[in-house]
Structure formats: structure tokens, C-alpha cells
Amino acid sequence: MLRIEHFYVLLAVFLAYTSWHNLRAKRYAHAGFWGLVALLFATGEFVLTASKAGDKLPAQMAGIAVIAMAVLATRMRREHIAEAPEEQRRASAQRLGHRLFGPALVIPLATVLIVLLGAKLRIGNVALFAEGNIALPALAVASILAAFAALAITRTRPLQAPIEGSRLLETIGWAALLPLVLATLGGVFAASGVGEAVSSLVTAVIPADNRIACLLAFGLGMVLFTIIMGNAFAAFPVMMAGIGLPLLIQRHGADPAALGALGMLTGYCGTLMTPMAANFNLVPAALLELDDPNAVIRAQLPTAIVLMLTNLMLMYWLVFR
């Protein structure tokens, strides 16, 4: 039976390879950073499943590793990473054409199919996926299938996959971990009572019996918190605990599935507007060597506003049906 922890171990192997590659290049800060990330992923399963018998990696040690990663991140510098000559890359792109989009499309298509059919996928009497939420294992399997599809289309050796993956990871740098860290921050905020504080503030400012006012507070709050924290995953637990669950779902009978899905989409509009989402907005500007570091945000802003208004209207029409 496939569990997400199995893929965490596979990811840890890839991160360890990235660390070893940097160590060979004498990029010690990079090697230490990715090595610590690999350690956290590799021991994640043990931390989750061995709590009764004693954690393999105590929470204090994990905290020290995170602090060390933060220190190492200040020493990481974006440098030129060797890749194929431009003429070779252009020739390869012209030869492959639109087939290059195939592996990228495999990920969403395979994920949806596995989520829909996962309960029926078996080898003999053994289910491939555990009952319940299989979205993350489905995404992991789809990503592996996409890697194999890319190798088949480009006709390159299998080792090229981790090589190019490592190069891409190094190009993004420490910002690749921002979604994970910010999502964790959202959980910390929710556990520390920020959601309850938001609920008290909102009920003091807006009429809690008016579902439109509560809906606007939830949607605009998702955008605002995402702008502040840089990721909708960080804003979601706070806004759902503060407004979504007590006011919209429990008091006004909103549909939880529709509210959650559209709430996240509305939060993503804030991602398009903020430099805090460095991996989405600042890293591309640096990679493209743009003179204005906020050029990506400026280009996205009109789309973000239109999408935000559209999502707010969709929430009004769908969550109270």
C-alpha cells in the first residue's frame, strides 16, 4: 500500500543527491542546507509513526535543523550552473516541439484519475492506496509518471532526471521551501489562537448575521493574509478557523467543500500581488534578469484583481446553494 511517507523517503534521496552534488562542487552552504532538508524528509515517517516508541528525530533536533537551515540560507548565493549549450537546447526544443508539454500535462491528468479511481486500484487483494485522502500520494505518483514520460520523449538516460531536477532546485534556491514553511506557519498561527482573535475582531467590526459581509470578510481576508504571509496555505487555516468555520459554515450553513476550494483560489490572487511569495514573483524576475524586481507582480496585478472579484462572486453563488 502506497503512503505519502514512501514518497517522502524518495524525495529525501533526491535531496541527498543534490547535497552531494553541491559538496563535490565545494558549495558547502548549499550542501549543508539540502542535506538537512533531506534528513528532515527521511526521518519524517519515523517522527510521525514512532511517537509511542520514542521519536527517531526529536522535535528539538528538528527545530535545531530548521534554525541551521535558516543560517545556511544566508550563505547561499545564486551562481551560474552549467547546462547544455544554447544552440543544443534550441535544436532540442525545435525537434521535440509541443511534445514538451506532454509530461507537464501528465501530472494533473494522472492525479485526477488516481484520485477518482484510487479506491479501485489493486494488485490482487492488496489496495494500492489507503482509504481516505489520496490526493498527495496521487500527485507523487503522477510526478513520477511525468518524469518517465519526459525521459521517453527526450530519449535521455534516466540519470538526467535527477541531474536536471537538482539544477532546477539550485536555480530556485532556498525559496523552493517557502510554500512548505509558510503552510507550517499557518498551522502554528491557527494553533496559537490567531483564528479566534480574527473571529473576535471580525464580529466586532461587521454584522455577523449578514452572510454577505461575512463572505467578503473571509474572501478579502484570504487575500490580505496571503499578501502578508506570502502563501494561501498559510492564510487558509487562520481564516477558516476565524471566519469560515464559525460564521459561514456553522452560522450561515455554507457548503464546506465549495467554501474551502474557492477560498484557496481567492487566496492565490493575493499570491500574485506580493513580493513575500518570493519563489513565484521575485525568483522569476531574477532568472529573467529583469531590471525591475517587481515586474512580475506588476504584470500579474490586473489579472489578480479580476480573478479575486470573480472568485468572490462564485463564492456567493455556490457556497450557499
Side-chain angles (χ1 to χ4, degrees):
M1 183 179 295
L2 294 175
R3 296 183 297 151
I4 189 59
E5 288 83 3
H6 299 145
F7 299 102
Y8 286 166
V9 174
L10 183 61
L11 182 58
V13 172
F14 166 69
L15 291 167
Y17 168 80
T18 303
S19 176
W20 173 76
H21 189 268
N22 278 284
L23 189 62
R24 289 186 59 190
K26 297 182 180 181
R27 294 155 54 95
Y28 300 116
H30 297 250
F33 182 88
W34 297 119
L36 288 172
V37 180
L39 174 65
L40 292 174
F41 271 99
T43 56
E45 179 179 4
F46 299 107
V47 172
L48 291 173
T49 61
S51 57
K52 294 182 180 180
D55 293 342
K56 299 296 182 180
L57 186 65
Q60 293 84 352
M61 295 298 297
I64 292 173
V66 172
I67 294 174
M69 287 164 51
V71 173
L72 289 170
T74 64
R75 307 288 298 174
M76 296 171 69
R77 298 290 183 268
R78 182 173 174 267
E79 302 174 6
H80 176 73
I81 301 175
E83 56 183 336
E86 183 177 356
E87 293 183 0
Q88 181 179 340
R89 286 183 279 124
R90 287 183 179 274
S92 178
Q94 291 177 355
R95 175 176 60 85
L96 296 172
H98 295 302
R99 286 182 293 168
L100 287 171
F101 291 100
L105 295 175
V106 166
I107 297 177
L109 293 176
T111 301
V112 171
L113 288 175
I114 294 173
V115 169
L116 294 176
L117 304 175
K120 301 178 181 178
L121 298 177
R122 295 176 174 271
I123 298 179
N125 295 326
V126 179
L128 285 180
F129 297 94
E131 295 183 2
N133 186 7
I134 65 170
L136 281 179
L139 177 60
V141 171
S143 300
I144 294 173
L145 293 176
F148 282 113
L151 292 173
I153 290 174
T154 57
R155 297 179 182 179
T156 56
R157 55 196 177 114
L159 187 59
Q160 198 66 26
I163 291 175
E164 290 300 318
S166 179
R167 184 181 65 81
L168 179 61
L169 188 62
E170 276 297 305
T171 301
I172 299 174
W174 57 264
L177 294 185
L178 275 179
L180 175 63
V181 174
L182 291 171
T184 305
L185 178 62
V188 172
F189 280 178
S192 62
V194 175
E196 288 79 0
V198 170
S199 179
S200 300
L201 180 63
V202 169
T203 53
V205 174
I206 68 170
D209 292 330
N210 188 318
R211 67 182 188 181
I212 297 179
C214 293
L215 189 67
L216 287 174
F218 176 76
L220 296 176
M222 278 294 301
V223 174
L224 180 60
F225 268 75
T226 301
I227 290 174
I228 294 172
M229 295 191 279
N231 193 289
F233 287 106
F236 185 77
V238 174
M239 298 309 300
M240 185 57 75
I243 302 175
L245 185 60
L247 299 181
L248 290 172
I249 296 175
Q250 295 178 347
R251 178 175 292 197
H252 296 292
D255 178 24
L259 183 66
L262 290 170
M264 285 295 293
L265 288 174
T266 307
Y268 292 148
C269 298
T271 303
L272 300 176
M273 305 179 187
T274 176
M276 290 296 292
N279 52 329
F280 291 106
N281 299 328
L282 299 185
V283 171
L287 294 177
L288 295 172
E289 299 180 351
L290 302 179
D291 294 332
D292 183 4
N294 296 315
V296 174
I297 297 176
R298 296 180 192 280
Q300 293 172 163
L301 192 59
T303 302
I305 294 174
V306 172
L307 285 176
M308 179 186 69
L309 296 176
T310 302
N311 286 327
L312 289 174
M313 289 187 290
L314 286 174
M315 274 199 286
Y316 175 71
W317 289 332
L318 297 177
V319 302
F320 297 118
R321 293 182 63 180

